[in-house]
PDB file of all heavy atoms in Angstrom:
ATOM      1  N   THR A1318      29.267 -35.255  37.156  1.00  0.00           N
ATOM      2  CA  THR A1318      30.184 -35.123  36.036  1.00  0.00           C
ATOM      3  C   THR A1318      30.870 -36.452  35.787  1.00  0.00           C
ATOM      4  O   THR A1318      30.904 -37.321  36.656  1.00  0.00           O
ATOM      5  CB  THR A1318      31.205 -33.990  36.287  1.00  0.00           C
ATOM      6  OG1 THR A1318      31.889 -33.723  35.062  1.00  0.00           O
ATOM      7  CG2 THR A1318      32.218 -34.354  37.343  1.00  0.00           C
ATOM      8  N   TRP A1363      25.415 -26.940  33.510  1.00  0.00           N
ATOM      9  CA  TRP A1363      26.820 -27.311  33.672  1.00  0.00           C
ATOM     10  C   TRP A1363      27.441 -26.373  34.689  1.00  0.00           C
ATOM     11  O   TRP A1363      26.887 -25.333  34.998  1.00  0.00           O
ATOM     12  CB  TRP A1363      27.561 -27.196  32.334  1.00  0.00           C
ATOM     13  CG  TRP A1363      27.017 -28.105  31.296  1.00  0.00           C
ATOM     14  CD1 TRP A1363      26.050 -27.796  30.383  1.00  0.00           C
ATOM     15  CD2 TRP A1363      27.376 -29.468  31.059  1.00  0.00           C
ATOM     16  NE1 TRP A1363      25.805 -28.891  29.590  1.00  0.00           N
ATOM     17  CE2 TRP A1363      26.595 -29.927  29.975  1.00  0.00           C
ATOM     18  CE3 TRP A1363      28.292 -30.352  31.644  1.00  0.00           C
ATOM     19  CZ2 TRP A1363      26.692 -31.221  29.478  1.00  0.00           C
ATOM     20  CZ3 TRP A1363      28.383 -31.632  31.144  1.00  0.00           C
ATOM     21  CH2 TRP A1363      27.593 -32.066  30.073  1.00  0.00           C
ATOM     22  N   ILE A1364      28.627 -26.712  35.133  1.00  0.00           N
ATOM     23  CA  ILE A1364      29.257 -25.875  36.168  1.00  0.00           C
ATOM     24  C   ILE A1364      29.440 -24.444  35.678  1.00  0.00           C
ATOM     25  O   ILE A1364      29.297 -23.494  36.456  1.00  0.00           O
ATOM     26  CB  ILE A1364      30.602 -26.490  36.652  1.00  0.00           C
ATOM     27  CG1 ILE A1364      31.120 -25.769  37.901  1.00  0.00           C
ATOM     28  CG2 ILE A1364      31.640 -26.455  35.563  1.00  0.00           C
ATOM     29  CD1 ILE A1364      30.312 -25.954  39.143  1.00  0.00           C
ATOM     30  N   THR A1365      29.728 -24.276  34.383  1.00  0.00           N
ATOM     31  CA  THR A1365      29.923 -22.908  33.876  1.00  0.00           C
ATOM     32  C   THR A1365      28.674 -22.078  34.136  1.00  0.00           C
ATOM     33  O   THR A1365      28.744 -20.915  34.516  1.00  0.00           O
ATOM     34  CB  THR A1365      30.247 -22.932  32.370  1.00  0.00           C
ATOM     35  OG1 THR A1365      31.248 -23.908  32.155  1.00  0.00           O
ATOM     36  CG2 THR A1365      30.744 -21.589  31.896  1.00  0.00           C
ATOM     37  N   SER A1439      36.534 -17.673  26.858  1.00  0.00           N
ATOM     38  CA  SER A1439      36.499 -19.021  26.292  1.00  0.00           C
ATOM     39  C   SER A1439      36.647 -20.037  27.415  1.00  0.00           C
ATOM     40  O   SER A1439      37.362 -19.794  28.383  1.00  0.00           O
ATOM     41  CB  SER A1439      37.640 -19.162  25.282  1.00  0.00           C
ATOM     42  OG  SER A1439      37.719 -20.488  24.809  1.00  0.00           O
ATOM     43  N   VAL A1440      35.978 -21.165  27.269  1.00  0.00           N
ATOM     44  CA  VAL A1440      36.046 -22.208  28.301  1.00  0.00           C
ATOM     45  C   VAL A1440      35.641 -23.565  27.748  1.00  0.00           C
ATOM     46  O   VAL A1440      34.893 -23.645  26.778  1.00  0.00           O
ATOM     47  CB  VAL A1440      35.105 -21.886  29.490  1.00  0.00           C
ATOM     48  CG1 VAL A1440      33.648 -21.823  29.065  1.00  0.00           C
ATOM     49  CG2 VAL A1440      35.265 -22.906  30.627  1.00  0.00           C
ATOM     50  N   GLY A1441      36.129 -24.615  28.384  1.00  0.00           N
ATOM     51  CA  GLY A1441      35.619 -25.961  28.112  1.00  0.00           C
ATOM     52  C   GLY A1441      36.597 -26.885  27.435  1.00  0.00           C
ATOM     53  O   GLY A1441      36.529 -28.098  27.578  1.00  0.00           O
ATOM     54  N   GLU A1442      37.497 -26.336  26.642  1.00  0.00           N
ATOM     55  CA  GLU A1442      38.476 -27.147  25.921  1.00  0.00           C
ATOM     56  C   GLU A1442      39.537 -26.180  25.399  1.00  0.00           C
ATOM     57  O   GLU A1442      39.320 -24.964  25.390  1.00  0.00           O
ATOM     58  CB  GLU A1442      37.804 -27.889  24.762  1.00  0.00           C
ATOM     59  CG  GLU A1442      37.052 -26.921  23.903  1.00  0.00           C
ATOM     60  CD  GLU A1442      36.413 -27.535  22.667  1.00  0.00           C
ATOM     61  OE1 GLU A1442      37.014 -28.433  22.076  1.00  0.00           O
ATOM     62  OE2 GLU A1442      35.346 -27.053  22.294  1.00  0.00           O
ATOM     63  N   PRO A1443      40.657 -26.714  24.958  1.00  0.00           N
ATOM     64  CA  PRO A1443      41.679 -25.802  24.437  1.00  0.00           C
ATOM     65  C   PRO A1443      41.132 -25.063  23.209  1.00  0.00           C
ATOM     66  O   PRO A1443      40.439 -25.650  22.390  1.00  0.00           O
ATOM     67  CB  PRO A1443      42.822 -26.742  24.031  1.00  0.00           C
ATOM     68  CG  PRO A1443      42.589 -28.005  24.796  1.00  0.00           C
ATOM     69  CD  PRO A1443      41.106 -28.122  24.962  1.00  0.00           C
ATOM     70  N   ILE A1444      41.425 -23.784  23.098  1.00  0.00           N
ATOM     71  CA  ILE A1444      40.984 -23.048  21.917  1.00  0.00           C
ATOM     72  C   ILE A1444      42.148 -23.035  20.932  1.00  0.00           C
ATOM     73  O   ILE A1444      43.263 -22.654  21.278  1.00  0.00           O
ATOM     74  CB  ILE A1444      40.462 -21.627  22.264  1.00  0.00           C
ATOM     75  CG1 ILE A1444      40.045 -20.894  20.994  1.00  0.00           C
ATOM     76  CG2 ILE A1444      41.430 -20.802  23.094  1.00  0.00           C
ATOM     77  CD1 ILE A1444      39.153 -19.675  21.233  1.00  0.00           C
ATOM     78  N   ASP A1465      40.732 -16.751  28.345  1.00  0.00           N
ATOM     79  CA  ASP A1465      40.664 -18.206  28.161  1.00  0.00           C
ATOM     80  C   ASP A1465      40.808 -18.816  29.548  1.00  0.00           C
ATOM     81  O   ASP A1465      41.889 -18.831  30.123  1.00  0.00           O
ATOM     82  CB  ASP A1465      41.790 -18.639  27.217  1.00  0.00           C
ATOM     83  CG  ASP A1465      41.822 -20.139  26.993  1.00  0.00           C
ATOM     84  OD1 ASP A1465      41.020 -20.870  27.609  1.00  0.00           O
ATOM     85  OD2 ASP A1465      42.668 -20.594  26.197  1.00  0.00           O
ATOM     86  N   THR A1466      39.679 -19.304  30.075  1.00  0.00           N
ATOM     87  CA  THR A1466      39.640 -19.742  31.471  1.00  0.00           C
ATOM     88  C   THR A1466      39.680 -21.263  31.560  1.00  0.00           C
ATOM     89  O   THR A1466      38.794 -21.942  31.054  1.00  0.00           O
ATOM     90  CB  THR A1466      38.343 -19.259  32.132  1.00  0.00           C
ATOM     91  OG1 THR A1466      37.243 -19.825  31.409  1.00  0.00           O
ATOM     92  CG2 THR A1466      38.226 -17.754  32.100  1.00  0.00           C
ATOM     93  N   TRP A1467      40.691 -21.792  32.212  1.00  0.00           N
ATOM     94  CA  TRP A1467      40.740 -23.245  32.452  1.00  0.00           C
ATOM     95  C   TRP A1467      40.215 -23.521  33.850  1.00  0.00           C
ATOM     96  O   TRP A1467      40.678 -22.934  34.833  1.00  0.00           O
ATOM     97  CB  TRP A1467      42.176 -23.785  32.334  1.00  0.00           C
ATOM     98  CG  TRP A1467      42.200 -25.268  32.620  1.00  0.00           C
ATOM     99  CD1 TRP A1467      42.131 -26.274  31.707  1.00  0.00           C
ATOM    100  CD2 TRP A1467      42.240 -25.909  33.913  1.00  0.00           C
ATOM    101  NE1 TRP A1467      42.120 -27.493  32.343  1.00  0.00           N
ATOM    102  CE2 TRP A1467      42.180 -27.296  33.692  1.00  0.00           C
ATOM    103  CE3 TRP A1467      42.298 -25.437  35.227  1.00  0.00           C
ATOM    104  CZ2 TRP A1467      42.198 -28.226  34.737  1.00  0.00           C
ATOM    105  CZ3 TRP A1467      42.306 -26.365  36.269  1.00  0.00           C
ATOM    106  CH2 TRP A1467      42.263 -27.751  36.014  1.00  0.00           C
ATOM    107  N   TRP A1468      39.262 -24.427  33.925  1.00  0.00           N
ATOM    108  CA  TRP A1468      38.777 -24.877  35.231  1.00  0.00           C
ATOM    109  C   TRP A1468      37.916 -26.106  35.035  1.00  0.00           C
ATOM    110  O   TRP A1468      37.836 -26.641  33.924  1.00  0.00           O
ATOM    111  CB  TRP A1468      38.041 -23.759  35.969  1.00  0.00           C
ATOM    112  CG  TRP A1468      36.877 -23.131  35.254  1.00  0.00           C
ATOM    113  CD1 TRP A1468      36.906 -22.428  34.089  1.00  0.00           C
ATOM    114  CD2 TRP A1468      35.508 -23.119  35.671  1.00  0.00           C
ATOM    115  NE1 TRP A1468      35.653 -21.984  33.754  1.00  0.00           N
ATOM    116  CE2 TRP A1468      34.780 -22.390  34.707  1.00  0.00           C
ATOM    117  CE3 TRP A1468      34.834 -23.650  36.785  1.00  0.00           C
ATOM    118  CZ2 TRP A1468      33.394 -22.189  34.810  1.00  0.00           C
ATOM    119  CZ3 TRP A1468      33.469 -23.437  36.888  1.00  0.00           C
ATOM    120  CH2 TRP A1468      32.761 -22.723  35.902  1.00  0.00           C
ATOM    121  N   GLN A1469      37.287 -26.588  36.088  1.00  0.00           N
ATOM    122  CA  GLN A1469      36.537 -27.851  36.044  1.00  0.00           C
ATOM    123  C   GLN A1469      35.319 -27.787  36.960  1.00  0.00           C
ATOM    124  O   GLN A1469      35.260 -26.927  37.849  1.00  0.00           O
ATOM    125  CB  GLN A1469      37.412 -29.003  36.569  1.00  0.00           C
ATOM    126  CG  GLN A1469      38.741 -29.152  35.901  1.00  0.00           C
ATOM    127  CD  GLN A1469      39.546 -30.284  36.520  1.00  0.00           C
ATOM    128  OE1 GLN A1469      39.800 -30.286  37.724  1.00  0.00           O
ATOM    129  NE2 GLN A1469      39.942 -31.246  35.707  1.00  0.00           N
ATOM    130  N   THR A1470      34.414 -28.743  36.775  1.00  0.00           N
ATOM    131  CA  THR A1470      33.285 -28.886  37.688  1.00  0.00           C
ATOM    132  C   THR A1470      33.813 -28.919  39.123  1.00  0.00           C
ATOM    133  O   THR A1470      33.247 -28.312  40.031  1.00  0.00           O
ATOM    134  CB  THR A1470      32.527 -30.198  37.385  1.00  0.00           C
ATOM    135  OG1 THR A1470      32.208 -30.223  35.996  1.00  0.00           O
ATOM    136  CG2 THR A1470      31.259 -30.310  38.209  1.00  0.00           C
ATOM    137  N   GLU A1471      34.906 -29.634  39.304  1.00  0.00           N
ATOM    138  CA  GLU A1471      35.472 -29.828  40.636  1.00  0.00           C
ATOM    139  C   GLU A1471      36.084 -28.548  41.209  1.00  0.00           C
ATOM    140  O   GLU A1471      36.087 -28.352  42.420  1.00  0.00           O
ATOM    141  CB  GLU A1471      36.577 -30.895  40.594  1.00  0.00           C
ATOM    142  CG  GLU A1471      36.108 -32.297  40.269  1.00  0.00           C
ATOM    143  CD  GLU A1471      36.047 -32.590  38.773  1.00  0.00           C
ATOM    144  OE1 GLU A1471      35.966 -31.640  37.968  1.00  0.00           O
ATOM    145  OE2 GLU A1471      36.070 -33.782  38.415  1.00  0.00           O
ATOM    146  N   THR A1551      44.311 -33.106  38.220  1.00  0.00           N
ATOM    147  CA  THR A1551      43.219 -32.551  37.400  1.00  0.00           C
ATOM    148  C   THR A1551      42.702 -33.528  36.350  1.00  0.00           C
ATOM    149  O   THR A1551      41.590 -33.379  35.867  1.00  0.00           O
ATOM    150  CB  THR A1551      43.697 -31.299  36.642  1.00  0.00           C
ATOM    151  OG1 THR A1551      44.725 -31.694  35.722  1.00  0.00           O
ATOM    152  CG2 THR A1551      44.227 -30.245  37.584  1.00  0.00           C
ATOM    153  N   ASP A1553      44.173 -33.642  33.448  1.00  0.00           N
ATOM    154  CA  ASP A1553      44.605 -33.035  32.185  1.00  0.00           C
ATOM    155  C   ASP A1553      46.120 -33.150  32.038  1.00  0.00           C
ATOM    156  O   ASP A1553      46.848 -33.182  33.031  1.00  0.00           O
ATOM    157  CB  ASP A1553      44.270 -31.530  32.161  1.00  0.00           C
ATOM    158  CG  ASP A1553      42.821 -31.261  31.805  1.00  0.00           C
ATOM    159  OD1 ASP A1553      41.999 -32.186  31.922  1.00  0.00           O
ATOM    160  OD2 ASP A1553      42.512 -30.120  31.415  1.00  0.00           O
ATOM    161  N   ILE A1565      47.162 -26.170  27.849  1.00  0.00           N
ATOM    162  CA  ILE A1565      46.463 -27.434  28.122  1.00  0.00           C
ATOM    163  C   ILE A1565      46.499 -28.302  26.872  1.00  0.00           C
ATOM    164  O   ILE A1565      46.218 -27.812  25.772  1.00  0.00           O
ATOM    165  CB  ILE A1565      44.993 -27.173  28.507  1.00  0.00           C
ATOM    166  CG1 ILE A1565      44.888 -26.174  29.661  1.00  0.00           C
ATOM    167  CG2 ILE A1565      44.265 -28.477  28.820  1.00  0.00           C
ATOM    168  CD1 ILE A1565      45.521 -26.578  30.958  1.00  0.00           C
ATOM    169  N   GLY A1567      45.099 -31.816  26.932  1.00  0.00           N
ATOM    170  CA  GLY A1567      43.810 -32.519  26.918  1.00  0.00           C
ATOM    171  C   GLY A1567      43.723 -33.487  28.073  1.00  0.00           C
ATOM    172  O   GLY A1567      44.602 -33.527  28.938  1.00  0.00           O
ATOM    173  N   ARG A1568      42.658 -34.277  28.081  1.00  0.00           N
ATOM    174  CA  ARG A1568      42.454 -35.226  29.174  1.00  0.00           C
ATOM    175  C   ARG A1568      43.409 -36.406  29.025  1.00  0.00           C
ATOM    176  O   ARG A1568      43.690 -36.845  27.911  1.00  0.00           O
ATOM    177  CB  ARG A1568      41.010 -35.745  29.152  1.00  0.00           C
ATOM    178  CG  ARG A1568      39.944 -34.689  29.332  1.00  0.00           C
ATOM    179  CD  ARG A1568      39.855 -34.128  30.715  1.00  0.00           C
ATOM    180  NE  ARG A1568      39.722 -35.124  31.763  1.00  0.00           N
ATOM    181  CZ  ARG A1568      39.456 -34.822  33.040  1.00  0.00           C
ATOM    182  NH1 ARG A1568      39.290 -33.562  33.415  1.00  0.00           N
ATOM    183  NH2 ARG A1568      39.361 -35.765  33.940  1.00  0.00           N
ATOM    184  N   LYS A1574      35.928 -34.852  25.728  1.00  0.00           N
ATOM    185  CA  LYS A1574      35.282 -33.544  25.647  1.00  0.00           C
ATOM    186  C   LYS A1574      34.695 -33.392  24.252  1.00  0.00           C
ATOM    187  O   LYS A1574      35.414 -33.242  23.271  1.00  0.00           O
ATOM    188  CB  LYS A1574      36.327 -32.468  25.902  1.00  0.00           C
ATOM    189  CG  LYS A1574      36.737 -32.375  27.345  1.00  0.00           C
ATOM    190  CD  LYS A1574      35.904 -31.452  27.979  1.00  0.00           C
ATOM    191  CE  LYS A1574      35.368 -31.055  29.143  1.00  0.00           C
ATOM    192  NZ  LYS A1574      34.869 -29.830  29.440  1.00  0.00           N
ATOM    193  N   GLY A1577      32.956 -29.400  24.042  1.00  0.00           N
ATOM    194  CA  GLY A1577      33.138 -28.829  25.377  1.00  0.00           C
ATOM    195  C   GLY A1577      32.383 -29.575  26.466  1.00  0.00           C
ATOM    196  O   GLY A1577      32.587 -29.333  27.643  1.00  0.00           O
ATOM    197  N   TYR A1578      31.491 -30.485  26.094  1.00  0.00           N
ATOM    198  CA  TYR A1578      30.750 -31.264  27.098  1.00  0.00           C
ATOM    199  C   TYR A1578      31.594 -32.434  27.557  1.00  0.00           C
ATOM    200  O   TYR A1578      32.295 -33.053  26.774  1.00  0.00           O
ATOM    201  CB  TYR A1578      29.431 -31.797  26.524  1.00  0.00           C
ATOM    202  CG  TYR A1578      28.475 -30.717  26.109  1.00  0.00           C
ATOM    203  CD1 TYR A1578      27.880 -30.732  24.856  1.00  0.00           C
ATOM    204  CD2 TYR A1578      28.167 -29.675  26.969  1.00  0.00           C
ATOM    205  CE1 TYR A1578      26.990 -29.729  24.467  1.00  0.00           C
ATOM    206  CE2 TYR A1578      27.289 -28.676  26.594  1.00  0.00           C
ATOM    207  CZ  TYR A1578      26.703 -28.706  25.341  1.00  0.00           C
ATOM    208  OH  TYR A1578      25.844 -27.718  24.972  1.00  0.00           O
ATOM    209  N   ARG A1579      31.446 -32.735  28.831  1.00  0.00           N
ATOM    210  CA  ARG A1579      32.297 -33.765  29.418  1.00  0.00           C
ATOM    211  C   ARG A1579      31.542 -35.083  29.468  1.00  0.00           C
ATOM    212  O   ARG A1579      30.507 -35.193  30.110  1.00  0.00           O
ATOM    213  CB  ARG A1579      32.690 -33.293  30.817  1.00  0.00           C
ATOM    214  CG  ARG A1579      33.581 -34.202  31.573  1.00  0.00           C
ATOM    215  CD  ARG A1579      34.143 -33.421  32.750  1.00  0.00           C
ATOM    216  NE  ARG A1579      34.633 -34.296  33.783  1.00  0.00           N
ATOM    217  CZ  ARG A1579      35.164 -33.865  34.924  1.00  0.00           C
ATOM    218  NH1 ARG A1579      35.253 -32.553  35.161  1.00  0.00           N
ATOM    219  NH2 ARG A1579      35.584 -34.707  35.836  1.00  0.00           N
TER     220      ARG A1579
HETATM  221  O1  PRX B1189      40.078 -30.836  30.098  1.00  0.00           O
HETATM  222  C1  PRX B1189      39.788 -29.611  30.724  1.00  0.00           C
HETATM  223  C2  PRX B1189      38.705 -28.918  29.928  1.00  0.00           C
HETATM  224  O2  PRX B1189      37.486 -29.246  30.552  1.00  0.00           O
HETATM  225  C3  PRX B1189      37.717 -30.118  31.662  1.00  0.00           C
HETATM  226  C4  PRX B1189      36.699 -29.869  32.740  1.00  0.00           C
HETATM  227  O3  PRX B1189      35.422 -30.133  32.239  1.00  0.00           O
HETATM  228  P1  PRX B1189      34.132 -29.732  33.057  1.00  0.00           P
HETATM  229  O4  PRX B1189      34.248 -30.246  34.430  1.00  0.00           O
HETATM  230  O5  PRX B1189      32.963 -30.133  32.256  1.00  0.00           O
HETATM  231  O6  PRX B1189      34.191 -28.161  33.144  1.00  0.00           O
HETATM  232  C5  PRX B1189      34.174 -27.425  31.965  1.00  0.00           C
HETATM  233  C6  PRX B1189      33.949 -25.972  32.247  1.00  0.00           C
HETATM  234  C7  PRX B1189      34.694 -25.410  33.365  1.00  0.00           C
HETATM  235  C8  PRX B1189      39.136 -29.826  32.064  1.00  0.00           C
HETATM  236  O7  PRX B1189      39.677 -30.886  32.804  1.00  0.00           O
HETATM  237  N1  PRX B1189      38.838 -27.453  29.924  1.00  0.00           N
HETATM  238  C9  PRX B1189      38.051 -26.568  30.582  1.00  0.00           C
HETATM  239  N2  PRX B1189      38.412 -25.311  30.296  1.00  0.00           N
HETATM  240  C10 PRX B1189      39.463 -25.380  29.459  1.00  0.00           C
HETATM  241  C11 PRX B1189      39.741 -26.743  29.226  1.00  0.00           C
HETATM  242  N3  PRX B1189      40.756 -27.134  28.439  1.00  0.00           N
HETATM  243  C12 PRX B1189      41.505 -26.177  27.882  1.00  0.00           C
HETATM  244  N4  PRX B1189      41.297 -24.857  28.030  1.00  0.00           N
HETATM  245  C13 PRX B1189      40.290 -24.404  28.806  1.00  0.00           C
HETATM  246  N5  PRX B1189      40.082 -23.100  28.942  1.00  0.00           N
END
Side-chain angles (χ1 to χ4, degrees):
T1318 192
W1363 298 92
I1364 191 68
T1365 313
S1439 174
V1440 62
E1442 53 176 323
I1444 179 163
D1465 179 357
T1466 60
W1467 179 94
W1468 56 297
Q1469 306 178 303
T1470 307
E1471 294 87 338
T1551 64
D1553 279 19
I1565 306 298
R1568 299 288 307 189
K1574 286 269 155 159
Y1578 297 130
R1579 181 165 160 181

